[in-house]
Amino acid sequence: MFFLLNYDYKNNLKNVFSPGAIFLYFAFLPAFSNLYFSLNPDSFNKIVLSQVLPKFRDLTIVNIALLFVFLGNLVTYVGVNHGVNSDNKIFNIFLNRILLTKYYPKKQNSIFYQNFFFKFGVIVYVLGFLVYLLFVQRMGGLSQIWSELHLRSTNNAGLGYYQSFYMMAIQLGGMIIMWYFKIKKSKLLLPFFILTIIIVGSLGARGPVVIFLLSILIMNHFLFKRVKALFNFKIILLVLFLPFFIVGILQFRSNSLEYYLDHTDEFVDNTIDSFESGFVARVGRLERDVVILSYFDENNFWFGKSYFGLITAPIPRTMFPDKSPVDTGMYLRAMALGDVLEPPLPVHRLRGSSWPEHNWVGYMNFGIFGFIIFYYISGLLFGKFYNFVSKKKFNVLATSLFSILAVSGPPMLSSLGLVSLLTKFLIVYLLIFFILIPLKSRK
C-alpha cells in the first residue's frame, strides 16, 4: 500500500488527492483493521469470527481472503489510473448530458459565474432543508428520532428517497455556498459550516457527517489551496476526531440520548470500550470475505442472478409480494447464518438484515474472473469521472459532486451500489434541470 501511494505521489506530481491516492487512503482502513487484529488474535476471534458460524472460522480461508483483498486493491488502482489517463467520448458525452454542462457559465473567474452558482447553491440548500423538515415530521420529530435511535433503520422504512434527496441537496448546496463565502471572505462561513454539520448529523447517522467533512477537504484542495502534505495539524485533528465520533454516535443505538445525559461517565467508558467493535472491526470485512470464499467453494456461482432485483425494483411490493431485494447483501447475511440459497428470492424468505458485499459481488456471480473485472471497472469509472472533472477545469458544481462521491471511493457494482449511484446522479440532474437552467435563462 505504501509502495503504491509513493508511486502515485511521484506519478501525479505529488497531488495528495489524486483519485489513486484517495482510493488508497480508504484502502488503508481495512488494512489497519487487519493489522490490528493480527496483533490481537483473541479480539479477532471474539469480535470478528464470532459473527459467523464455526464452519467458516478457518484461518486458511482467512489468509486466502487477505490475498483477495490485496488483489482487489491492486486491480482497482490499475483501473483508476487507466481511467485518469484515458479518454472515452461516450463516457464524457453521458456525463455532459447528465450534468448539463453546456448551461454552465464559461468564465470561471467572473463575478457572474460566482453569483450564478451561489444562487443555485442557496436554492438547492433551501430545497434540501425543506425536504429534511418533511422527513423529520414523517419520523415523528427530532425528540422521537433521538429517543429511538436504535430503531432508526426500522422507523425510516419507506422514506429512503426523502433521505437521499435532502442529504445530496444539503451537502451539494452547502459546499457551493461555502465556496462562495470563502471567495468573498465572508464571516458567515464558519456559522454556516456549523449549522450544516448540525443539520446533517441531527438524525444520528455517522456517515453523512464524515462524508461532508471529507468532501469539503477535497473540494478545498481542488478549488482553493492544494494540500501539499497530509501530515498537517488540521488533517491530523480531523483524522483523530472521526473514529471517536463514529464510535460515540454508535452508543446511541443501544441507549437513548436522555439515558446518557444522566450517565455521562458511562457514555465515555462505553465509547472507549467499543473502539474495537465499533470502529476497528467495522472498517474491515474479513468476516464477510471468509463466508463468500467458503460458501462458493461448495456451491455454484450465481452467474448474474443476484441482479434480478434491479428488474423488479420499480414494481411496488404491494403489487409483487415476492419481489426480490435490491440490497443483495441480504443474501450474504443469510449465507453467514448457514442458509444455502440461489437468487432471486423474495425478501420475506430472507433474514431481514444485510452485510454489504461491495465488489465481491463479482466473485459471487462469476468467480475470480468476475472479482478482477468488477474491481477493475469500479476503479476505471472512478478515474474517468476525475478525468471528466479536470477537463471541466474543476468547475465548482462538478468538483463538489466529485468530492462527495470520492469519499465513498470507487463505486460499488452491486445492485444496491448501482441504484445508490444512479439515484445521486438523478437527484443532481433534476436539481440542475429545474433550478440551474431557469437561472441561466434569466441572464
Side-chain angles (χ1 to χ4, degrees), residues 112-131:
F112 173 76
Y113 175 90
Q114 297 170 5
N115 292 337
F116 175 84
F117 276 111
F118 175 67
K119 291 175 185 176
F120 173 75
V122 169
I123 296 172
V124 168
Y125 189 89
V126 171
L127 184 59
F129 182 70
L130 292 175
V131 175

Side-chain angles (χ1 to χ4, degrees), residues 337-404:
L337 295 173
D339 294 351
V340 177
L341 47 86
E342 185 173 344
L345 289 173
V347 172
H348 61 76
R349 288 185 55 187
L350 298 170
R351 301 286 186 137
S353 57
S354 170
W355 272 359
E357 69 274 56
H358 206 266
N359 287 321
W360 273 81
V361 67
Y363 185 88
M364 297 161 77
N365 280 278
F366 305 107
I368 188 170
F369 176 77
F371 179 91
I372 293 172
I373 293 298
F374 274 50
Y375 271 95
Y376 172 79
I377 293 176
S378 176
L380 186 73
L381 292 174
F382 187 56
K384 283 191 175 297
F385 188 48
Y386 174 85
N387 179 281
F388 170 84
V389 174
S390 66
K391 288 188 181 303
K392 294 301 172 185
K393 299 179 181 179
F394 293 101
N395 165 276
V396 62
L397 176 54
T399 304
S400 297
L401 179 59
F402 171 77
S403 300
I404 293 171

